[in-house]
Amino acid sequence: MYDLFYIRHRLHKRAYQHRVNKVIEHMIAEAFLKADGHIEIEGSGGRMFTLSTAFKNMEAYTKLTDNVFEQILKSSRPELQEAREILQNIVSRKIYKFVGERKPKTIKDWKSQITGWKEVLAQPLPDEEENNLKPEDVEILVINMDYGMKDENPVGHMHFYSKKEPDVAKPMSPENASRIRTMIFSEQLIRVFCKKIDEQSVEAARQQFEQWLRMEPNLVGPEGN
């Protein structure tokens, strides 16, 4: 069972939560947010819904398919220009550039700190008078991965049957569990991306990232990762 949860974690780390996958997912969400008020979906009784409200009506929700991506991409409407440009960048692989990541000590209130982190990342380096990066040029994604129960050991909540008592399920006693097993069941990753994809901006963002790590000791985990 430990192997099962370990494999689940590795799949999330290597595939489902891979940095390229996550940044494309974020860019699609960003485009949909910009298009939200400009796309109408008809629901039951002729009622109209936006992308963000379609889930409130089952008929409208069933129309919320991958076609929305193509609808925005092929549209010539000026109000969808920003959303269209983001999706065009995804199709042409002009995605946000990965700058770096860290495994910090778990930061539970990270959402309230995102704005401040972006402002720090956009500050000039000590030997620079100004920086060509602005806070809106930086994207920070926080990824939480675990064994399915946050910080808890899921195997500790499982019951097992034995050959001696095939009709009785009991938790596994500590002496019967393998001594070779993990003691930490969750980890957090903070990933930084640069929306500007030219080499100069990306290199500046990498230098800012290293400076940021020195200024924020909580971003360095117990093993210095």
Side-chain angles (χ1 to χ4, degrees):
M1 293 310 301
Y2 276 111
D3 287 344
L4 175 67
F5 289 110
Y6 173 76
I7 291 170
R8 175 189 183 275
H9 171 260
R10 297 305 296 172
L11 285 171
H12 271 275
K13 193 166 187 175
R14 293 175 178 267
Y16 313 143
Q17 311 291 345
H18 188 274
R19 62 175 182 257
V20 175
N21 178 46
K22 293 303 293 185
V23 77
I24 290 177
E25 178 183 291
H26 178 83
M27 291 176 71
I28 292 173
E30 198 172 49
F32 283 9
L33 281 172
K34 291 183 180 296
D36 184 37
H38 307 295
I39 293 181
E40 291 187 331
I41 302 170
E42 185 176 352
S44 58
R47 289 182 295 167
M48 305 304 292
F49 298 86
T50 64
L51 293 176
S52 62
T53 60
F55 74 95
K56 297 179 180 180
N57 183 275
M58 186 54 63
E59 184 175 331
Y61 188 60
T62 57
K63 296 177 181 178
L64 200 61
T65 66
D66 292 346
N67 180 60
V68 175
F69 189 104
E70 296 295 330
Q71 182 181 345
I72 297 171
L73 192 62
K74 296 176 181 179
S75 171
S76 58
R77 293 165 57 187
E79 60 268 26
L80 291 175
Q81 181 179 348
E82 287 186 280
R84 185 166 58 250
E85 288 176 352
I86 293 174
L87 298 186
Q88 286 172 342
N89 286 337
I90 293 173
V91 172
S92 59
R93 296 292 289 182
K94 295 178 181 178
I95 61 175
Y96 303 156
K97 292 294 185 179
F98 177 69
V99 173
E101 72 176 26
R102 277 299 181 271
K103 299 176 187 176
K105 301 171 184 177
T106 301
I107 302 174
K108 295 184 178 180
D109 60 339
W110 59 267
K111 289 183 180 179
S112 64
Q113 301 187 56
I114 290 287
T115 299
W117 288 345
K118 288 183 178 182
E119 290 176 353
V120 173
L121 282 164
Q123 290 179 0
L125 294 168
D127 58 346
E128 294 179 334
E129 294 184 2
E130 61 180 2
N131 187 14
N132 66 335
L133 292 178
K134 299 178 181 178
E136 56 266 29
D137 296 327
V138 178
E139 194 56 65
I140 300 174
L141 303 182
V142 179
I143 311 298
N144 292 294
M145 290 178 285
D146 53 51
Y147 271 34
M149 294 190 69
K150 298 184 178 180
D151 295 330
E152 294 188 51
N153 174 9
V155 178
H157 292 262
M158 300 181 70
H159 288 63
F160 298 86
Y161 292 94
S162 68
K163 293 182 179 179
K164 293 181 179 179
E165 296 179 286
D167 298 325
V168 180
K170 298 179 180 179
M172 181 180 291
S173 59
E175 58 269 19
N176 288 331
S178 172
R179 293 183 180 181
I180 303 175
R181 62 183 187 273
T182 184
M183 300 303 293
I184 300 174
F185 301 95
S186 66
E187 68 176 346
Q188 190 177 70
L189 295 177
I190 296 181
R191 293 171 175 162
V192 176
F193 298 84
C194 182
K195 292 186 177 183
K196 291 184 175 181
I197 62 175
D198 62 280
E199 292 185 7
Q200 183 178 356
S201 296
V202 175
E203 180 57 33
R206 290 197 175 111
Q207 293 182 34
Q208 293 296 121
F209 177 72
E210 294 299 327
Q211 176 178 264
W212 181 49
L213 293 181
R214 293 191 291 269
M215 296 172 61
E216 293 280 354
N218 287 335
L219 296 178
V220 181
E223 298 179 357
N225 293 325

